[in-house]
Amino acid sequence: MTTLEEIRQSVENGHYKITEQVITQALKQHIPAIKILDEAMVPAMREMGERYKNNEADIPRILSSARCMRKGLDILTPGLESERGLYVGTIILGTVEGDLHDVGKNLVAIMFRSAGFKVIDLGVDISEKQFLKAVRQNPEVSIVCLSTLLTTACPSMQHAVKALRQSDTEHRLKIMVGGGAVTKEFAEHIGADAYTESAVDAAEMAKTFIV
Ligand code: B12
């Protein structure tokens, strides 16, 4: 089994100590952090998502895999950050009110950081008021990213986007949305500037917003 396959399997099995060990080993073998993320960790989490959907994995199992992702990302972050270029800009990021999912959001944070952005990560269950406050307190922010995996939290996303637009009288903000519950059509409908399916594409797209 290759090192990447071992990482993938450890995330699927939910063994975070093994994930940490094998990732450390992979970095010693000079496997790029981005490759470890894209080719082992993200596919493993996707696979667990599929299994959960088909009732082949229960919640404790999913949480173990999510913990592997978190622990693994902690080790990968310095590598991803050193693969980046110069400072590009600042973004605010959060999962919208009513939604506690954070694996995808954390990946978005990592991808933006590795693309050279400073990321102000507000966390999960973030209300429109909290987004607005963060924008007010951080005048250097040019992009706000909202995430949701729950269709029941889509109205919160819509309200937050509307409130951000209304408060942005100088038109300095770009709003990006994503997460499993979001589609391109929904993003257009609520007036977001961009939607991408993956975190890697999100950071690439964001760069095009920065002149
Ligand atoms: C892990 C998980 C959980 C964990 C969350 C742990 C954690 N810390 O995040 C736990 C067990 C806690 C959980 C709870 C619940 N969950 Co859940 N969960 C999942 C699961 C299996 C995987 C999600 C995940 O981490 N995916 C991997 C990441 C990498 O993918 P991602 O988040 O989509 O992110 C990628 C992109 O979307 C994108 N992206 C993400 N955010 C953003 C933002 C921007 C701006 C951009 C551009 C891109 C972007 O980048 C990422 C990487 O490329 C999914 C199933 C699935 N197929 O997704 C269900 C799922 C999301 N959960 C679901 C549900 C219903 C729930 C519960 C309501 C269950 C319940 N009855 O209690 C609760 C809700 C709790 C709450 N209030 O939030 C449903 C949602 C259905 C729907 N459409 O509304 C799903 C789809 C399962 C299902 N098929 O039914 N869940």
Side-chain angles (χ1 to χ4, degrees):
M1 207 188 290
T2 66
T3 312
L4 287 179
E5 282 164 357
E6 274 183 68
I7 295 171
R8 185 173 171 152
Q9 201 177 70
S10 71
V11 175
E12 286 178 14
N13 292 339
H15 295 150
Y16 78 87
K17 289 234 158 78
I18 301 183
T19 308
E20 288 176 333
Q21 269 166 22
V22 196
I23 288 181
T24 308
Q25 198 181 315
L27 290 173
K28 278 193 189 135
Q29 291 167 9
H30 304 291
I31 301 177
I34 185 93
K35 194 170 166 146
I36 297 174
L37 195 59
D38 264 6
E39 295 181 21
M41 294 175 66
V42 172
M45 202 59 216
R46 265 206 204 112
E47 168 65 26
M48 292 314 289
E50 282 306 306
R51 286 193 210 164
Y52 183 63
K53 205 161 72 188
N54 302 330
N55 293 323
E56 290 160 14
D58 54 14
I59 287 183
R61 192 68 200 279
I62 296 297
L63 286 176
S64 306
S65 296
R67 193 197 298 130
C68 291
M69 290 294 286
R70 231 178 10 253
K71 298 273 189 185
L73 285 174
D74 285 347
I75 301 178
L76 286 181
T77 305
L80 286 165
E81 290 187 346
S82 69
E83 283 164 27
R84 77 181 182 195
L86 294 169
Y87 169 78
V88 185
T90 302
I91 72 151
I92 283 176
L93 167 68
T95 301
V96 302
E97 189 165 19
D99 190 343
L100 304 174
H101 292 88
D102 68 358
V103 176
K105 172 190 70 62
N106 294 345
L107 271 178
V108 171
I110 298 278
M111 285 306 143
F112 272 87
R113 286 194 179 112
S114 58
F117 287 89
K118 178 183 163 199
V119 177
I120 301 171
D121 187 347
L122 302 179
V124 296
D125 195 21
I126 303 303
S127 67
E128 62 181 69
K129 282 200 179 127
Q130 287 170 290
F131 278 111
L132 288 175
K133 188 173 166 204
V135 167
R136 248 193 336 268
Q137 286 176 340
N138 297 281
E140 77 282 18
V141 166
S142 49
I143 302 174
V144 183
C145 291
L146 300 93
S147 175
T148 188
L149 269 77
L150 295 177
T151 38
T152 50
C154 283
S156 312
M157 180 175 267
Q158 182 163 13
H159 294 143
V161 171
K162 194 172 168 198
L164 285 164
R165 277 275 177 261
Q166 280 173 352
S167 72
D168 181 29
T169 47
E170 292 162 28
H171 304 289
R172 73 174 161 105
L173 292 182
K174 292 284 185 195
I175 303 176
M176 299 183 68
V177 294
V182 181
T183 59
K184 194 168 185 295
E185 289 69 31
F186 179 71
E188 279 167 13
H189 172 68
I190 63 173
D193 294 297
Y195 156 83
T196 66
E197 211 178 301
S198 84
V200 179
D201 295 341
E204 287 305 311
M205 166 94 66
K207 278 194 198 164
T208 67
F209 291 143
I210 309 283
V211 232

